[in-house]
Amino acid sequence: PAKYRPSSAFNSQHWTTNSGAPVYNNNNSLTVGVGGPILLEDYQLTEKLANFDRERIPERVVHARGAAAKGFFEVTHDVSHLTCADFLRAPGVQTPLIARFSTVIHERGSPETLRDPRGFAIKFYTREGNFDMVGNNIPVFFIRDGMVFPDMVHSLKPNPKSHIQEGWRIADFFSHHPEAMHMFTFLMDDWGVPKDYRHMEGFGVHTFVLINAAGKETLVKFHWKPTCGVEFLLEEEAVQVGGNNHSHATQDLYDSIASGEYPEWRLFIQTMDPQRADDYAFDPMDVTKTWPEDIFPLQPVGRMVLNRNPDNFFNENEQVAFCPALVVPGIGYSDDKMLQTRIFSYQDTQRHRLGGNYLMLPVNAPKCSHHNNHHDGFMNFMSRTEEVNYFPSRFDAARHAAPYPIVSRQLSGRRERAVIPKENNFQQPGERFRSFDAARQERFINRILDNVLLHPRTTKEIRRIWLGMLSQCDKSLGQRLAAKLQAASAL
Ligand code: HEM
């Protein structure tokens, strides 16, 4: 690699301090005599240490462990009848993007072979601002109300006393949340440990709204399918792969891009007429549900190709800030309560994690021209020379953007804290369990036992509640689980 980057400001041929003063000796501190003590006036030393001392920023509260890659999205099928999004305007249109894949629960340096959902986040740098699709590799989520999220994450994270992830805490928490059974039929299935980041699907998970130029709204779900196929690691494989290399998925992504074998995913959508949202056995705003593909077929939209590795891990992995609130004209939020909560949570955590001006960081800044009067603040490095920083003004030529259609559904209702009427917690997980072949069903049952129910601190009461929930998903699942619990004298 080139030693100097003449294009950057960081281009001196000799060492300097941060303020540019030449450093003639970068090895020895300034001492009284050869042996010391060190003089407090050794500014070179204190500056170097102070920078080092501050190298780490807070890791993400979830999804701390991840790998990013850059590339492009290309529209392959016309969807302009569904959305006026500029980046989806016609087949052939390409948009640069950055993607980040992640595990969820454990720390920034944790193994990438753990049983965990995988994050699947993409930032499209469109001509109308950044569109972030911040999804997972599992099409549903554990819970349906964001109020529950912090408690849920606490139960999955390590015990605050031992700092060890413990199954009894997971069993306990989710015994109160039957809506999570569907997600467990993914997490405790082979699906729960993807082979690496390339061989996994991605999902927008929430229901979003597409809006076309005439203002017509369509409910939509997003699906990404890898062209290299979907593959998983069984327990023994995961132990071996992770034991050899705790960064195997990051390495696989990096190496495949470096060798020119560019990972590619196809984007599909499922669409639903909002007028018909009440017609089904499930609530389409309920994030614990999938939309059956026989009723809502997958429709192709485009493809994502990742063909560039990050130039710098910190700048493009640690500083990248994805946020489901970042949508563009032609795409809107639905009433999904989880999505609505996320609209607040991501920007809030990123102001804490990266600072108030985090959207100025090169990886987060829009690539299109932009203009507003948001002003100053810590670490503001935007160079601005204008004298008018208020609106409206006869001296500032910038005007409102041309109007575009927004989600305009009519709302009415009482203020209340409530559970949705159509919970339907057990039908879809039951169907999913029955779709597994016998060996896969057996692996699923054993994982529920090993990871959650047979922990010595999981009580019999909690086991019976889980048994009740899983029996409602599928009777034979319940019977087989009960037999194994009895055999282990655990009921
Ligand atoms: C990351 C909160 C649900 C996918 C995060 C972060 C927070 C958070 C605070 C760290 C962000 C950062 O530091 O940049 C929440 C809350 C949720 C929720 C409050 C529910 C109300 C979900 C769901 C999904 C999801 C349903 C999947 C559809 C992700 C992904 C990341 C992430 C992929 C990592 C993004 C990256 O690579 O930087 N979440 N989350 N989250 N979340 Fe969520």
Side-chain angles (χ1 to χ4, degrees):
K3 193 163 178 199
Y4 305 111
R5 295 169 53 209
S7 61
S8 94
F10 218 63
N11 61 358
S12 165
Q13 300 282 319
H14 57 251
W15 297 110
T16 73
T17 61
N18 284 342
S19 54
V23 169
Y24 71 88
N25 183 335
N26 194 25
N27 287 319
N28 301 105
S29 42
L30 188 64
T31 52
V32 182
V34 173
I38 297 172
L39 289 171
L40 183 60
E41 70 172 61
D42 189 351
Y43 176 80
Q44 286 170 26
L45 175 67
T46 53
E47 182 193 81
K48 189 175 187 178
L49 290 173
N51 272 269
F52 174 75
D53 292 345
R54 288 164 178 76
E55 277 178 14
R56 299 288 171 273
I57 60 171
E59 64 174 35
R60 290 167 176 82
V61 64
V62 282
H63 296 262
R65 167 62 130 154
K70 296 175 280 188
F72 65 89
F73 177 77
E74 184 182 41
V75 181
T76 53
H77 293 73
D78 185 16
V79 286
S80 58
H81 57 294
L82 294 171
T83 175
C84 58
D86 175 72
F87 81 106
L88 296 173
R89 65 190 175 277
V93 171
Q94 289 194 353
T95 302
L97 57 79
I98 183 162
R100 182 174 180 271
F101 309 108
S102 49
T103 61
V104 180
I105 292 299
H106 294 281
E107 299 89 341
R108 185 149 53 192
S110 54
E112 294 179 308
T113 40
L114 298 178
R115 184 166 301 281
D116 207 8
R118 300 294 188 271
F120 196 109
I122 295 151
K123 187 182 286 295
F124 299 78
Y125 299 105
T126 91
R127 301 193 307 190
E128 292 187 326
N130 295 348
F131 168 52
D132 287 5
M133 201 192 287
V134 197
N136 278 344
N137 75 323
I138 294 180
V140 291
F141 203 67
F142 291 111
I143 48 166
R144 58 167 76 92
D145 193 316
M147 182 71 109
V148 180
F149 187 82
D151 287 298
M152 184 202 81
V153 171
H154 290 172
S155 80
L156 291 162
K157 285 263 186 192
N159 180 332
K161 191 170 171 185
S162 64
H163 202 66
I164 297 167
Q165 188 184 42
E166 291 170 2
W168 66 274
R169 308 172 75 244
I170 300 170
D172 179 23
F173 176 80
F174 286 104
S175 70
H176 301 273
H177 287 284
E179 71 273 27
M181 292 303 115
H182 197 189
M183 179 103 165
F184 275 102
T185 64
F186 287 88
L187 188 64
M188 295 296 163
D189 174 32
D190 299 349
W191 200 281
V193 186
K195 181 179 178 199
D196 48 48
Y197 293 136
R198 276 186 308 143
H199 291 87
M200 63 183 202
E201 291 186 53
F203 300 90
V205 182
H206 300 286
T207 298
F208 284 85
V209 185
L210 296 179
I211 313 147
N212 74 9
K216 184 173 185 299
E217 295 174 22
T218 305
L219 301 178
V220 67
K221 289 246 192 209
F222 296 106
H223 297 246
W224 295 99
K225 289 192 182 292
T227 55
C228 63
V230 176
E231 290 184 44
F232 312 114
L233 296 178
L234 295 183
E235 275 72 359
E236 315 74 53
E237 296 171 309
V239 168
Q240 205 186 359
V241 170
N244 281 327
N245 181 358
H246 79 306
S247 303
H248 83 283
T250 297
Q251 177 140 33
D252 172 79
L253 184 67
Y254 194 93
D255 289 352
S256 59
I257 293 174
S259 69
E261 201 186 317
Y262 300 138
E264 182 171 336
W265 282 261
R266 298 287 153 88
L267 178 67
F268 295 84
I269 51 172
Q270 289 180 291
T271 55
M272 186 190 290
D273 178 354
Q275 306 298 330
R276 304 211 44 203
D278 293 332
D279 292 359
Y280 306 98
F282 61 92
D283 179 343
M285 304 307 155
D286 175 1
V287 73
T288 70
K289 301 294 182 291
T290 50
W291 296 1
E293 288 179 19
D294 51 346
I295 311 178
F296 307 97
L298 295 181
Q299 305 161 49
V301 178
R303 68 191 190 114
M304 166 170 77
V305 179
L306 299 180
N307 57 7
R308 275 186 306 142
N309 275 315
D311 297 308
N312 177 281
F313 181 83
F314 184 78
N315 292 158
E316 289 166 306
N317 196 323
E318 292 308 287
Q319 291 193 319
V320 68
F322 297 94
C323 176
L326 302 188
V327 293
V328 287
I331 301 177
Y333 317 129
S334 74
D335 289 344
D336 176 337
K337 293 185 205 180
M338 291 284 292
L339 173 58
Q340 300 260 323
T341 312
R342 295 177 75 199
I343 290 166
F344 165 73
S345 193
Y346 288 68
Q347 43 166 321
D348 181 50
T349 199
Q350 287 153 1
R351 287 188 182 101
H352 161 67
R353 188 166 73 78
L354 300 163
N357 281 312
Y358 69 104
L359 290 179
M360 282 183 196
L361 294 169
V363 70
N364 297 325
K367 306 271 184 253
C368 58
S369 53
H370 50 289
H371 178 101
N372 59 45
N373 292 326
H374 305 344
H375 201 69
D376 296 352
F378 282 115
M379 297 298 162
N380 187 319
F381 51 83
M382 196 187 283
S383 163
R384 295 176 71 156
T385 54
E386 70 271 33
E387 292 179 81
V388 176
N389 60 351
Y390 51 85
F391 169 90
S393 163
R394 293 182 208 291
F395 296 99
D396 185 353
R399 293 287 173 261
H400 282 135
Y404 55 85
I406 59 167
V407 176
S408 62
R409 64 183 168 274
Q410 227 156 12
L411 300 175
S412 75
R414 247 185 25 204
R415 287 155 43 85
E416 56 191 319
R417 298 181 187 274
V419 175
I420 57 166
K422 235 188 263 181
E423 286 196 79
N424 198 349
N425 290 327
F426 305 119
Q427 182 188 344
Q428 291 193 353
E431 287 165 3
R432 184 167 161 77
F433 175 74
R434 286 187 290 279
S435 76
F436 300 161
D437 65 30
R440 194 163 173 176
Q441 289 185 346
E442 189 69 8
R443 290 195 294 275
F444 170 74
I445 294 173
N446 288 338
R447 290 190 194 109
I448 295 264
L449 288 165
D450 294 345
N451 291 295
V452 188
L453 295 189
L454 286 184
H455 191 283
R457 290 179 69 185
T458 304
T459 63
K460 289 187 176 171
E461 182 199 9
I462 291 172
R463 289 185 191 128
R464 282 191 210 110
I465 294 169
W466 271 75
L467 187 57
M469 293 190 295
L470 290 168
S471 302
Q472 288 180 77
C473 297
D474 183 90
K475 217 168 137 194
S476 80
L477 165 60
Q479 285 162 346
R480 287 161 67 183
L481 198 62
K484 283 176 187 271
L485 283 167
Q486 261 150 8
S489 307
L491 258 192

